[in-house]
Amino acid sequence: NAGVMQNPRHLVRRRGQEARLRCSPMKGHSHVYWYRQLPEEGLKFMVYLQKENIIDESGMPKERFSAEFPKEGPSILRIQQVVRGDSAAYFCASSPPNSPQETQYFGPGTRLLVL
Amino acid sequence: AQSVTQPDIHITVSEGASLELRCNYSYGATPYLFWYVQSPGQGLQLLLKYFSGDTLVQGIKGFEAEFKRSQSSFNLRKPSVHWSDAAEYFCAVVPSGGYQKVTFGTGTKLQVIP
């Protein structure tokens, strides 16, 4: 059973470009969470999604950031018009449907660098 | 809102020595409690978790943690540290009952010296 997959592992963008981060949850998991980890800081919750639904996006910046988890395919975290402050590690986690937030399994992360 | 405090930003121990990493939480009821470990450039791996029952929980890699309700603490321990334990450790809490988001502590970086 493969773990949570994230790609790309590293992403370099110039200011103003778009960044798309992908997350494939563990098999059988229908809940996906995105977190951001700034240098020397802990993880900060961004958004919680189920298939085709955003359940909690209280941690998402109001502008430029969006997330989706379509019926088919991976979850996508999209950052438009990136700025240097978006440079961080972005982690995805997933959990099974019967214990949504209790135990989350994390992917290896995508490290975004904005030049 | 719940919060998690890891008061030690950086800890250095000698290989073979015992280890205790502190975690205190602030929440009205007993939350679910977790410890994760993150090696450099990697994601988070779950070490152990507490939901209810026995307050001393065993995890992977020889780690254990004890939930103390009176102190609102969930400290992580290991009797004998190995060089491969050098990593960053995060405590996390989730309020029990219904969905609420996970709150992570700021982490403790563990350095192991020979």
Side-chain angles (χ1 to χ4, degrees), chain A residues 5-53:
Chain A
M5 310 283 283
Q6 288 188 252
N7 65 82
R9 294 290 305 275
H10 299 272
L11 183 61
V12 179
R13 285 288 178 266
R14 297 192 181 278
R15 282 178 296 171
Q17 292 183 319
E18 179 180 285
R20 278 184 179 242
L21 288 63
R22 288 177 291 277
C23 169
S24 296
M26 288 179 68
K27 187 176 180 180
H29 287 192
S30 57
H31 299 255
V32 166
Y33 312 79
W34 285 94
Y35 296 84
R36 177 164 62 177
Q37 185 180 34
L38 295 170
E40 306 300 321
E41 293 187 15
L43 278 73
K44 294 290 195 295
F45 169 82
M46 299 181 75
V47 62
Y48 163 40
L49 309 107
Q50 296 178 20
K51 286 282 187 182
E52 300 184 282
N53 283 306

Side-chain angles (χ1 to χ4, degrees), chain A residues 9-10 33 35 37 40-45 47-48 55-56 58-59 89 91 99-109 111, chain B residues 32 34 36 38-46 49 51 88 90 94-107 109:
Chain A
R9 294 290 305 275
H10 299 272
Y33 312 79
Y35 296 84
Q37 185 180 34
E40 306 300 321
E41 293 187 15
L43 278 73
K44 294 290 195 295
F45 169 82
V47 62
Y48 163 40
I55 307 302
D56 181 352
S58 58
F91 290 95
S99 60
Q101 81 280 12
E102 292 173 359
T103 302
Q104 297 181 16
Y105 297 87
F106 283 80
R111 276 130 185 104
Chain B
Y32 299 143
F34 305 83
Y36 287 88
Q38 184 182 32
S39 297
Q42 301 298 313
L44 275 71
Q45 181 182 22
L46 179 67
K49 58 189 177 184
F51 289 170
E88 190 158 18
F90 292 94
V94 176
S96 57
Y99 165 73
Q100 293 199 50
K101 58 195 174 194
V102 179
T103 300
F104 283 87
T106 52
K109 283 186 180 175

